[in-house]
Amino acid sequence: MNPLLHPFDTLHAIPPFELIEDNHFEEALKHGMKLQAEKIDKIIANQAPPTFQNTVIAFEESGKEIRSTLNIFSNLNLAHTSPILLATAKKMNPILSRHGDAIRMNVQLFSRFETLWREKDTLNLHEEEHMLLKKFHNLFVRNGAALPDKEKDRLKDINSQLAEATLEFGQNLLQETNSKQIVIKDSQELKGLPNNIIKAAQEHAKSKGIPDAYIFTPNQNTYLSILTYAENRSLREKIWTAYTRRGQHSNEKLIKIITDLRLEKAQILDFPHYADYVLEEAMAKQAANVKELLDSLWPAAYSQAEVEFEDLKEIAGDLGIEKLEPYDWYYLAEQVRRQKFEVDENEVSQYFTLENVQQGVFSTCKRLFGLDFKKLDSAPLYHQDVVSYEVLEETGETVGILYMDFFARDSKQGGAWMTKYRSQQYEHGKRTLPIISLVCNFTPPADGEACILTLDEVNTFFHEFGHALHGLLSDVKFESLAGTAVPRDFVELPSQLLENWAMEPQVLKDYAIHPMNKKVIPEELLKKLKASQKFNQGFALTEYLLAAYLDLEYHSLTTPLTVNASQFEAELNEKLKNSLPILPRYKSIYFSHIFSGGYAASYYSYIYAEILDADAYESFQNVGIFNPELSSKLRTEILEKGGSREAEAMYRAFKGRIPRKDALLRRKFTT
């Protein structure tokens, strides 16, 4: 039996991971498509005039089975893939694309939504119902339902090719990350690295049958740790080379394919370029507004980075480094940090065990929203490293189910993300519990030892948990509007906002506890840590903005791409007059956010959301970071609302006005 074809007979109807086999998915996906097609046919065949119930609700319910299977399949393919899953994805993605196109381009189905949209003011719809109708009407329009057949056929071809190319981009990146391993035989070459990174590399070598050695894989966490702490410049160069050349051969051609196809799609739909097509539904509205935002931040960021560069050159000279390279910046910045603030991130990290940071996150959510987290020992799991929790209100009522998958492994894509196995909704008047998953790539601890997180990883944990709260606390009627179903430049607000609590002294005292002596992080170290928070912000913002510009440049092209990725990046550098040894946070060949994920023409959204979060957090700073009235307002006006209201209306309801970027600039650059 295929468990994906039947209701899940498990606690809270959690997917029965132990029963699901990789070869079950193709059958389940095809079955889901068949069921949805039959339900769509019934909507079209209905002779009654279109109503919200017989058209909008019927359409919402038509895809439940296929969405359920796709949620499980896509999540496992990212977090714990296999040759079978990879092959299934490669085979099914174009088929799923054609299935979706057949629905979204159906003239008869679109005509029913078009009728309802014209009559919307007479339908007496509630706000959430209006948002659902708007979402679906836009879905048809933006996918070419009103186009002539010839252009529809071309659009179908484009979508199918994009489905294949974007999937291949991500698969190539995973394969090359795992294959570009650095083997070190002499432990003296590892001087300066944290012990947990060294031990993890030693364990990795043992698992590969290479005793008395250390193997480093260029995933992001290892890469940043080596660049920050390794005294051995040669090792820093090796990891930098391995990391920045991932996808160099396999993904170069895909960048042109994806970029050109997206441009053609946008122009078929009467947009000048893909960025304007994407941004039509975002808070930013169009590429010109994003460009204006980036341009307004670039001078301050770059100017600050130039000041920081002068400090680095001074210490580089002391170390005999004549020309400062990109792989030197993190290490030299850490040396300057230690000198200026007497803060050693290695020393600080000893207070950040994964177990304690998790409790810090839980206690923060308890103080903000009254949430409790009860470990589920009997819930189905898809990997032995995964843990699950039941999330509870103070009343004991269950809010949702939370999965957390912390450690890097060969079967997992790099990075960190929040996702869902089931969205929240109401069915027959009862709230369906969301099943939310938080996935990271922390370095696994050695046997019997605690997992130690870097400062950056602590922030990552809080960040992704903000997304998780958005999914868990969702309280909307319709699945399609639940949780993170909001504009891309609004979706990062809850995640980036929660990061603010991570470094607050009263929060740190809850979780920054040394695993050996059990002492709380010293007050003096806390003060130094707080003082160092604005250090190196010029670099951090510059490397981010370079990536955001890169994304916007690709997707603002109005003619096909004519140069390779390296030349494209060089031309952008020249345009921005960037002569500092700072690369974009992600170079084109491994920029999976935009070429494999959902952030095409939207990577700017992190800084847009940071404007929102800095502005919003000042409200907490003014009245108390655990103020119950403001916490309740954050929950009811933003976290619970999902996409049931316009994003700007949600922010206005919380803050009382539109956002301003003054708070962000104060955060970044004032002392």
Side-chain angles (χ1 to χ4, degrees):
M1 288 178 62
N2 187 334
L4 294 168
L5 303 182
H6 306 277
F8 300 153
D9 185 21
T10 55
L11 177 71
H12 299 304
I14 294 170
F17 294 112
E18 289 94 339
L19 301 178
I20 298 171
E21 298 176 6
D22 291 350
N23 57 15
H24 284 150
F25 283 105
E26 182 175 338
E27 179 188 21
L29 289 169
K30 289 178 177 177
H31 180 70
M33 287 189 289
K34 179 175 179 290
L35 288 179
Q36 187 174 26
E38 290 171 353
K39 291 176 182 178
I40 294 295
D41 287 343
K42 286 182 180 178
I43 298 173
I44 295 168
N46 191 338
Q47 296 300 307
T51 65
F52 189 82
Q53 186 65 39
N54 71 19
T55 300
V56 181
I57 296 297
F59 183 69
E60 165 80 340
E61 293 178 350
S62 71
K64 286 187 182 295
E65 293 85 1
I66 186 68
R67 283 195 298 268
S68 174
T69 301
L70 271 173
N71 283 343
I72 301 168
F73 174 66
S74 58
N75 288 333
L76 291 184
N77 198 31
L78 286 172
H80 189 41
T81 196
S82 70
I84 292 175
L85 289 180
L86 291 170
T88 302
K90 191 168 187 177
K91 177 180 180 180
M92 293 302 299
N93 267 27
I95 296 171
L96 288 163
S97 174
R98 290 193 292 272
H99 168 74
D101 285 340
I103 294 171
R104 293 184 293 265
M105 295 183 192
N106 188 295
V107 175
Q108 295 166 290
L109 187 59
F110 173 53
S111 69
R112 296 181 71 89
F113 280 92
E114 185 76 351
T115 298
L116 290 172
W117 186 247
R118 285 197 307 267
E119 299 173 354
K120 62 184 181 297
D121 294 335
T122 68
L123 299 178
N124 197 27
L125 299 177
H126 297 303
E127 183 177 35
E128 186 173 343
E129 292 171 335
H130 172 82
M131 288 296 291
L132 188 66
L133 173 58
K134 178 183 177 182
K135 184 184 183 92
F136 289 157
H137 180 261
N138 285 353
L139 181 73
F140 286 100
V141 172
R142 288 171 55 77
N143 281 278
L147 291 174
D149 287 344
K150 184 178 180 181
E151 291 185 340
K152 277 185 188 173
D153 290 341
R154 178 55 188 153
L155 207 53
K156 290 175 184 176
D157 289 340
I158 289 171
N159 290 339
S160 181
Q161 290 176 59
L162 280 172
E164 292 185 72
T166 54
L167 175 71
E168 187 179 347
F169 189 100
Q171 290 183 349
N172 289 343
L173 194 55
L174 176 63
Q175 182 179 358
E176 291 201 28
T177 300
N178 289 334
S179 64
K180 288 182 180 294
Q181 296 181 335
I182 298 170
V183 181
I184 302 294
K185 296 282 189 178
D186 185 358
S187 62
Q188 291 302 306
E189 293 187 43
L190 309 180
K191 195 173 179 184
L193 288 180
N195 287 332
N196 64 309
I197 298 295
I198 294 173
K199 288 181 179 178
Q202 192 172 33
E203 292 291 327
H204 193 186
K206 285 180 183 177
S207 73
K208 299 293 184 182
I210 308 176
D212 303 319
Y214 308 84
I215 293 181
F216 296 95
T217 301
N219 59 58
Q220 191 174 28
N221 288 350
T222 302
Y223 165 74
L224 290 175
S225 292
I226 291 177
L227 286 194
T228 304
Y229 302 118
E231 295 179 20
N232 180 354
R233 193 178 187 221
S234 174
L235 178 58
R236 298 201 303 271
E237 183 179 6
K238 283 178 184 175
I239 195 72
W240 179 81
T241 301
Y243 183 84
T244 59
R245 290 184 182 173
R246 296 173 304 148
Q248 185 172 27
H249 303 295
S250 57
N251 282 344
E252 180 78 56
K253 67 180 186 302
L254 291 173
I255 290 170
K256 176 170 173 55
I257 291 170
I258 294 168
T259 304
D260 288 355
L261 286 172
R262 285 172 173 169
L263 169 62
E264 186 182 355
K265 176 176 180 173
Q267 293 183 337
I268 287 173
L269 293 166
D270 205 27
F271 290 87
H273 46 64
Y274 192 71
D276 272 1
Y277 167 72
V278 170
L279 296 168
E280 181 188 43
E281 292 194 308
M283 292 182 75
K285 299 305 179 190
Q286 56 185 12
N289 295 333
V290 174
K291 178 72 161 51
E292 184 180 348
L293 169 64
L294 301 182
D295 287 347
S296 72
L297 296 170
W298 175 257
Y302 192 77
S303 175
Q304 182 63 30
E306 287 181 311
V307 172
E308 294 163 2
F309 183 58
E310 292 305 313
D311 288 341
L312 300 195
K313 284 200 297 185
E314 196 173 311
I315 199 167
D318 295 340
L319 295 172
I321 298 173
E322 294 182 11
K323 183 185 177 186
L324 203 152
E325 299 289 351
Y327 50 81
D328 292 316
W329 193 294
Y330 282 93
Y331 177 74
L332 296 176
E334 178 60 15
Q335 305 312 303
V336 174
R337 183 201 303 273
R338 292 178 187 183
Q339 286 184 9
K340 278 192 172 183
F341 303 101
E342 298 179 334
V343 172
D344 179 347
E345 278 213 19
N346 258 329
E347 178 190 0
V348 173
S349 289
Q350 297 309 306
Y351 291 90
F352 296 145
T353 66
L354 175 58
E355 182 181 359
N356 287 346
V357 175
Q358 178 178 307
Q359 288 309 310
V361 172
F362 285 177
S363 66
T364 298
C365 295
K366 172 74 170 176
R367 295 171 73 178
L368 283 171
F369 308 115
L371 300 177
D372 287 307
F373 299 84
K374 176 186 173 186
K375 194 166 187 299
L376 292 173
D377 293 321
S378 59
L381 303 175
Y382 61 85
H383 189 274
Q384 62 188 16
D385 288 344
V386 178
V387 292
S388 62
Y389 288 83
E390 187 174 11
V391 185
L392 306 166
E393 300 276 20
E394 285 180 304
T395 60
E397 182 182 0
T398 303
V399 173
I401 306 301
L402 174 66
Y403 277 80
M404 293 192 290
D405 181 357
F406 291 121
F407 303 121
R409 54 178 174 266
D410 290 350
S411 63
K412 186 191 288 187
Q413 289 280 3
W417 63 92
M418 163 268 179
T419 186
K420 61 184 183 295
Y421 284 94
R422 182 173 67 218
S423 291
Q424 177 271 325
Q425 62 186 297
Y426 276 85
E427 293 185 290
H428 310 296
K430 183 180 179 183
R431 184 176 182 270
T432 298
L433 299 180
I435 302 174
I436 302 301
S437 182
L438 187 157
V439 186
C440 298
N441 270 279
F442 300 147
T443 302
D447 287 343
E449 297 197 12
C451 174
I452 303 295
L453 303 187
T454 65
L455 197 58
D456 185 61
E457 288 171 334
V458 172
N459 284 321
T460 294
F461 196 160
F462 273 80
H463 178 101
E464 298 306 332
F465 214 89
H467 283 310
L469 288 174
H470 205 177
L472 288 165
L473 297 179
S474 175
D475 194 31
V476 301
K477 187 175 181 181
F478 304 116
E479 179 184 0
S480 292
L481 300 177
T484 55
V486 298
R488 185 68 71 179
D489 48 9
F490 190 75
V491 77
E492 296 297 335
L493 170 59
S495 55
Q496 293 184 191
L497 185 57
L498 195 67
E499 284 187 55
N500 290 283
W501 276 269
M503 292 298 115
E504 287 287 359
Q506 58 183 296
V507 177
L508 281 163
K509 289 175 182 175
D510 283 344
Y511 74 87
I513 301 168
H514 200 284
M516 302 301 291
N517 58 31
K518 307 302 180 186
K519 290 184 178 179
V520 175
I521 190 168
E523 192 75 35
E524 189 60 31
L525 187 55
L526 263 183
K527 288 178 182 176
K528 292 175 182 177
L529 185 62
K530 193 75 174 173
S532 72
Q533 288 299 290
K534 292 179 182 178
F535 172 72
N536 210 36
Q537 284 298 303
F539 166 82
L541 187 52
T542 296
E543 69 156 7
Y544 165 79
L545 289 174
L546 284 169
Y549 273 119
L550 185 61
D551 170 33
L552 193 65
E553 286 283 307
Y554 274 118
H555 295 112
S556 295
L557 290 172
T558 55
T559 56
L561 184 63
T562 57
V563 299
N564 64 27
S566 296
Q567 189 175 339
F568 194 84
E569 291 164 3
E571 289 175 2
L572 175 62
N573 241 16
E574 182 68 26
K575 191 184 297 185
L576 293 171
K577 296 182 171 54
N578 172 30
S579 59
L580 295 173
I582 303 178
L583 297 176
R585 184 173 294 175
Y586 301 102
K587 292 177 68 178
S588 306
I589 53 177
Y590 52 88
F591 204 165
S592 58
H593 281 76
I594 67 170
F595 291 121
S596 185
Y599 280 80
S602 298
Y603 195 67
Y604 79 93
S605 61
Y606 288 95
I607 198 66
Y608 192 95
E610 197 171 353
I611 290 171
L612 301 181
D613 102 66
D615 191 51
Y617 194 63
E618 278 199 348
S619 295
F620 280 97
Q621 290 174 312
N622 291 337
V623 298
I625 64 170
F626 290 109
N627 180 275
E629 288 78 17
L630 198 56
S631 299
S632 177
K633 203 172 186 182
L634 173 62
R635 176 171 179 169
T636 57
E637 299 296 351
I638 293 178
L639 297 176
E640 290 182 358
K641 285 289 190 289
S644 65
R645 297 185 74 186
E646 297 287 354
E648 185 175 303
M650 286 190 277
Y651 192 83
R652 279 181 179 273
F654 171 75
K655 184 73 177 183
R657 57 165 173 76
I658 61 172
R660 300 171 188 156
K661 63 184 175 189
D662 313 40
L664 174 66
L665 295 175
R666 285 192 290 272
R667 172 193 288 180
K668 292 286 186 188
F669 302 120
T670 59
T671 55

